């Protein structure tokens, strides 16, 4: 009989236990708790994506309605709170959720990488020497680690493009979102980038929506089938809504022929404000 | 429980194969034998560099189990003076959880709800090339060839996979009512044989399915309630010393020879966060 190597290597922990932090923070120290936080921040970010998509549909009502929508966002809280305060609170909250979502995703990925025998974790999965045969893992679930960063980079571009105006340069008119969107999306490379990023976003949401129910333990065998349906519908609606902007601008169906106001940040904005007032 | 196969076992099995060759083969080819090529992972020890070795397996009976095929190859290897391939096996009737193997990229092979020992060669076709690899995860180091050390699962069980409250003298029968649904679901979870296919199949090397099954098995029934929160926290945190993080692919439940449901993972996720809150209260902190 061949010599058999026996050693208790399997009983050696792969990860060290960290000193527990005080109560709510210790939840984030464990992988399940961290995943739970990732799911909740995912819920928040998904809520933003839905509201953002629906709000952007004002684009189809023309320049003055779009202007009115943007102004409404800045005036949230009515006259009770300083102008743009509520908007800034939401922005900071959103940024916080985004950073926590990112941190939890990255650290959990690292944990899985270290727990797999092969350090080569490219493609986001443990490597076997022979070909793996996936059964349940779908394209969306296996590419979360790629669609996530794609969406993250796209968000940076999106901000530089339509919030900071860096991309459009002189053509950017602060306070005239209709013009900025149409101007930006008229460029073919930008439109392609928006399409690719929003497909990645929809794929990310498809797995994320189903996954968060599982992670948060929202599970009832009677309704479990509905979770996949909800994920499909949500991802589909968000995809169609978000893709409609670059596609319709490129198709020439959304353009600036319908505007009565000039495009500049002085008389143009006054004209838009008057038009919005008249609604 | 790993080991090479004794000579007597082979003799017994080859007779068995001879006798049963023509039974239950209504839909099979006339010959009832297959000519296969196997690519088997061989590794001399935990730190040795391993690699695939190709073996020809002509005239394999369709009634053999996959492990019996390995027995035949080992028998030949021993006859030729070679070192037999080591692989884990024990009961060979699908209930002990000792056999493992990634067969053609799937834990326990491509048959649904089947352990390697219950995977029969009639499920393969003549001329197939079958690749056999050990289960892989950092917490499942290879001992030799196809044998991996799964004692990390024992560490998880030691952390709370039991009930240790004093029960006193024998009570009246049916003194503790158990709802039918609870006992059924608990039993579904208790079907876990701890083979590690879930970890092997998981792209993240996570052991959520195993741990959640062991937790649900006790946490769903009245007898398990006194230690429920302590058990949940302890077993989950022990699991997290060894394994990766779940991303809800669902590969584990597909690979599971006992078809343990993903629902148990959701149950564990819910119970773990609850446990963190409850245990804090139980400890008198607020």
């Amino acid at each position: 009989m061949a010599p058999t190597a026996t050693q208790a290597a399997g009983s050696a922990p792969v990860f060290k236990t960290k000193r527990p932090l005080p109560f709510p923070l210790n939840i984030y120290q464990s992988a399940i708790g961290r995943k739970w936080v990732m799911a909740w921040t995912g819920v928040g970010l998904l809520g933003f994506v839905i509201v953002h998509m629906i709000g952007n549909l004002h684009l189809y009502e023309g320049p003055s309605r779009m202007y009115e929508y943007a102004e409404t966002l800045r005036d949230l809280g009515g006259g009770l709170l300083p102008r743009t305060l509520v908007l800034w609170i939401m922005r900071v909250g959103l940024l916080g959720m985004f950073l926590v979502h990112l941190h939890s995703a990255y650290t959990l990925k690292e944990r899985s990488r270290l727990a797999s025998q092969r350090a080569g974790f490219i493609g986001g999965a443990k490597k076997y020497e022979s070909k793996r045969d996936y059964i349940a893992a779908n394209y969306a679930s296996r590419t979360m680690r790629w669609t996530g960063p794609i969406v993250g980079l796209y968000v940076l571009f999106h901000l530089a493009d339509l919030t900071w105006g860096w991309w459009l340069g002189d053509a950017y008119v602060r306070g005239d979102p209709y013009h900025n969107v149409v101007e930006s999306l008229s460029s073919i490379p930008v439109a392609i980038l928006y399409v690719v990023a929003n497909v990645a976003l929809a794929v990310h949401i498809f797995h994320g929506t189903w996954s968060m129910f599982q992670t948060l333990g929202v599970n009832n065998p009677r309704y479990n089938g509905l979770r996949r349906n909800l994920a499909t519908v949500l991802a589909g609606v968000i995809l169609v809504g978000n893709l409609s902007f670059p596609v319709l601008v490129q198709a020439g169906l959304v353009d600036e022929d319908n505007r009565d106001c000039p495009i500049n940040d002085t008389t143009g904005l006054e004209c838009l404000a008057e038009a919005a007032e008249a609604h | 429980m790993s080991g090479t196969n004794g000579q007597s076992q082979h003799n017994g099995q080859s007779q068995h194969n001879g006798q049963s060759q023509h039974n239950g083969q209504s839909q099979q080819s006339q010959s009832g034998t297959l000519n296969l090529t196997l690519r088997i992972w061989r590794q001399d020890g935990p730190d040795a560099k391993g690699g695939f070795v190709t073996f020809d397996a002509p005239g394999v009976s369709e009634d053999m189990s996959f492990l019996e095929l390995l027995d035949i190859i080992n028998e030949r290897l021993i006859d030729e003076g070679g070192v037999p391939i080591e692989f884990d096996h024990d009961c060979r009737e699908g209930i002990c959880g000792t056999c493992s193997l990634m067969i053609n990229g799937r834990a326990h092979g491509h048959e649904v709800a089947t352990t390697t020992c219950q995977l029969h060669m009639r499920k393969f076709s003549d001329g197939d090339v079958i690749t056999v690899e050990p289960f892989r995860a950092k917490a499942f180091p290879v001992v030799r060839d196809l044998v991996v050390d799964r004692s990390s699962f024992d560490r998880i069980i030691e952390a709370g996979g039991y009930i240790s409250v004093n029960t006193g003298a024998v009570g009246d029968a049916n003194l503790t009512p158990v709802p039918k649904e609870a006992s059924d679901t608990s039993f579904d979870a208790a079907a876990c044989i701890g083979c590690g296919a879930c970890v092997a199949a998981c792209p993240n090397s996570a052991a959520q399915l195993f741990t959640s099954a062991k937790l649900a098995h006790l946490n769903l029934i009245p007898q398990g309630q006194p230690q429920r929160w302590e058990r949940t926290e302890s077993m989950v945190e022990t699991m997290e010393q060894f394994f990766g993080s779940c991303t809800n692919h669902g590969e584990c439940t597909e690979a599971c020879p006992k078809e343990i449901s993903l629902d148990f993972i959701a149950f564990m996720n819910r119970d773990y966060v609850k446990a963190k809150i409850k245990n804090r209260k139980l400890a008198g902190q607020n």
Side-chain angles (χ1 to χ4, degrees), chain A residues 52-71:
Chain A
H52 189 63
M53 188 277 284
I54 294 172
N56 284 349
L57 294 176
H58 284 290
L59 191 77
Y60 300 133
E61 292 182 317
S64 60
R65 290 281 186 182
M66 192 67 189
Y67 172 85
E68 196 183 354
Y69 167 60
E71 281 301 298

Side-chain angles (χ1 to χ4, degrees), chain A residues 5 11 14-15 31-32 111-112 115-116 126 128-130 132-133 135-137 141 145 207 211 214 217 224, chain B residues 106 133 136 138 143 155 199-205 240-241 243 245 247-249 251 262-263 270 272 280:
Chain A
S11 57
V14 178
F15 302 101
I32 288 185
R111 154 176 284 272
S112 295
S116 300
K126 168 170 66 189
Y128 274 86
E129 298 292 326
S130 53
R132 260 311 297 279
D133 189 3
I135 314 155
S141 74
R145 285 155 190 161
H207 181 69
S211 182
Q214 185 72 9
N224 279 352
Chain B
R106 292 214 195 164
E133 214 183 324
R136 292 202 190 275
K138 191 87 175 176
V143 176
R155 301 292 90 76
V199 174
C202 180
N204 300 308
S205 305
E240 290 184 352
Q241 290 174 16
F243 295 100
S245 168
T247 54
N248 303 324
H249 286 297
E251 281 295 323
L262 273 185
D263 297 347
R270 192 167 61 205
Y272 177 71
R280 186 172 145 265

Side-chain angles (χ1 to χ4, degrees), chain A residues 146-147 150-151 154 188-204 239 242-243 246-247:
Chain A
W146 296 110
T147 52
I150 290 172
V151 171
Y154 157 71
I188 290 177
V190 174
I192 290 173
L193 193 132
Y194 272 72
V195 169
V196 170
N198 279 297
V199 169
L201 177 66
V203 171
H204 197 79
L239 183 70
N242 281 340
L243 285 193
V247 168

Side-chain angles (χ1 to χ4, degrees), chain A residues 1-17 20 22-24 26-27 29-36 38 107-109 111-118 121 124-138 140-145 207-208 210-221 224 227-228, chain B residues 2-4 39 41 43-47 52 83-84 86 102 104-106 110 131-144 149-152 155 198-206 208 233 236-237 239-251 253-255 262-270 272-273 276-277 280 285:
Chain A
M1 189 172 163
T4 309
T6 47
Q7 52 173 228
S11 57
V14 178
F15 302 101
K16 284 194 186 119
T17 322
F23 168 61
N26 65 359
I27 290 180
Q29 278 182 305
S30 77
I32 288 185
R34 190 164 289 195
K35 183 87 188 177
W36 190 75
M38 188 162 137
T107 49
L108 289 176
K109 186 219 77 173
R111 154 176 284 272
S112 295
R113 187 176 71 82
L114 294 171
S116 300
Q117 198 167 34
R118 309 264 146 191
F121 210 65
K126 168 170 66 189
K127 289 283 169 285
Y128 274 86
E129 298 292 326
S130 53
K131 198 174 164 293
R132 260 311 297 279
D133 189 3
Y134 289 110
I135 314 155
N138 54 32
S141 74
R142 283 188 284 124
T143 53
M144 290 301 269
R145 285 155 190 161
H207 181 69
W210 178 83
S211 182
M212 75 197 178
F213 284 105
Q214 185 72 9
T215 303
L216 297 175
V218 182
N219 184 298
N220 183 329
N224 279 352
R227 302 183 302 181
R228 284 279 187 204
Chain B
S2 64
T4 48
R39 288 175 67 232
W41 184 264
Q43 185 172 335
D44 287 339
D47 301 317
F52 286 106
V83 181
E86 294 220 16
M102 289 296 280
N104 284 343
R106 292 214 195 164
H110 62 282
T131 307
V132 187
E133 214 183 324
F135 282 179
R136 292 202 190 275
K138 191 87 175 176
F140 285 178
V142 173
V143 176
R144 189 185 173 86
D149 184 341
R150 286 168 282 183
S151 57
S152 42
R155 301 292 90 76
C198 44
V199 174
C202 180
N204 300 308
S205 305
Q208 248 79 354
E233 187 174 353
V236 166
E237 284 172 9
M239 168 187 84
E240 290 184 352
Q241 290 174 16
F242 295 96
F243 295 100
S245 168
C246 176
T247 54
N248 303 324
H249 286 297
E251 281 295 323
T253 195
E254 296 295 334
L262 273 185
D263 297 347
F264 291 120
I265 297 181
F267 183 65
M268 173 175 73
N269 290 341
R270 192 167 61 205
Y272 177 71
V273 177
K276 287 307 258 188
I277 298 165
R280 186 172 145 265
Q285 306 162 8

Side-chain angles (χ1 to χ4, degrees), chain B residues 116-137:
Chain B
T116 299
C117 63
Q118 294 296 301
L119 175 66
H120 289 89
M121 299 319 294
R122 68 182 82 95
K123 304 294 182 184
F124 293 89
S125 310
D126 194 39
D128 277 359
V129 178
I130 305 170
T131 307
V132 187
E133 214 183 324
F135 282 179
R136 292 202 190 275

